[in-house]
């Protein structure tokens, strides 16, 4: 249908990346390691999840 091949200049792993939570500019390795968020937001998220665990009652 189209004679031209699709463009291969995809800056996905080489361009600027921004944390989807706080919009801080993040290096590519940190961005992809934390599923598109910065280390600071990843730490806050993990602390938040740890705090939401139900507490056990003492017998």
């Amino acid at each position: 249908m189209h004679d031209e091949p699709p463009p291969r200049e995809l800056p996905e792993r080489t361009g600027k990346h921004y944390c989807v939570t706080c919009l801080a500019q993040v290096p590519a390795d940190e961005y992809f390691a934390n599923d598109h968020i910065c280390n600071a937001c990843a730490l806050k998220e993990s602390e938040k999840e740890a705090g939401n665990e139900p507490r056990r009652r003492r017998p």
Side-chain angles (χ1 to χ4, degrees):
M1 184 186 239
H2 297 282
D3 294 332
E4 297 179 22
R8 295 292 177 199
E9 299 173 20
L10 303 174
E12 296 169 354
R13 294 194 180 262
T14 58
K16 294 180 180 178
H17 303 285
Y18 295 94
C19 173
V20 296
T21 304
C22 69
L23 300 178
Q25 190 170 353
V26 182
D29 57 340
E30 180 180 332
Y31 180 79
F32 290 109
N34 294 325
D35 294 328
H36 311 299
I37 59 177
C38 64
N39 284 341
C41 289
L43 180 62
K44 288 178 189 176
E45 188 174 301
S46 66
E47 288 175 351
K48 183 179 175 183
E49 288 176 2
N52 288 339
E53 292 180 13
R55 295 183 182 181
R56 294 183 181 179
R57 289 185 173 182
R58 292 185 179 177

